[in-house]
Amino acid sequence: MDVVKQGIFLFLIVVSPALIVSLMVGLVISIFQAITQINEQTLTFVPKILAVFFTIALTGSWMFQKVIDYTIMLWTQYLSMI
């Protein structure tokens, strides 16, 4: 049960930078749409995709290292979990 809890926590930590950036870009674009009264639904897709791509490009190695550390921990403690 502890391993599952650690896995879920790791998932939340790894996903949070991209999610936060996506939410912030969406908020800024929504405010822009409210100010200019442009009601185009597809306007948010390209900036969000670009922002998430750049966020993953910047934090990807950190994310990958966290997942590798968790995987190594799982494999080294596998016998003690059984």
Side-chain angles (χ1 to χ4, degrees):
M1 204 59 187
D2 192 39
V3 174
V4 174
K5 186 172 91 173
Q6 287 176 349
I8 292 171
F9 184 71
L10 175 71
F11 174 75
L12 292 175
I13 294 296
V14 167
V15 172
S16 61
L19 184 62
I20 290 170
V21 168
S22 176
L23 289 172
M24 295 303 288
V25 169
L27 179 66
V28 168
I29 292 174
S30 294
I31 292 172
F32 174 75
Q33 285 179 329
I35 291 171
T36 61
Q37 295 182 354
I38 298 173
N39 291 325
E40 182 64 34
Q41 296 294 326
T42 61
L43 184 64
T44 61
F45 290 131
V46 173
K48 277 186 182 181
I49 290 172
L50 290 175
V52 169
F53 174 75
F54 287 125
T55 302
I56 291 173
L58 291 174
T59 62
S61 62
W62 171 78
M63 292 177 183
F64 194 59
Q65 187 61 45
K66 287 286 192 184
V67 172
I68 288 173
D69 291 343
Y70 180 71
T71 305
I72 290 172
M73 186 272 304
L74 282 178
W75 282 105
T76 56
Q77 296 179 0
Y78 176 70
L79 292 177
S80 66
M81 286 187 247
I82 294 178

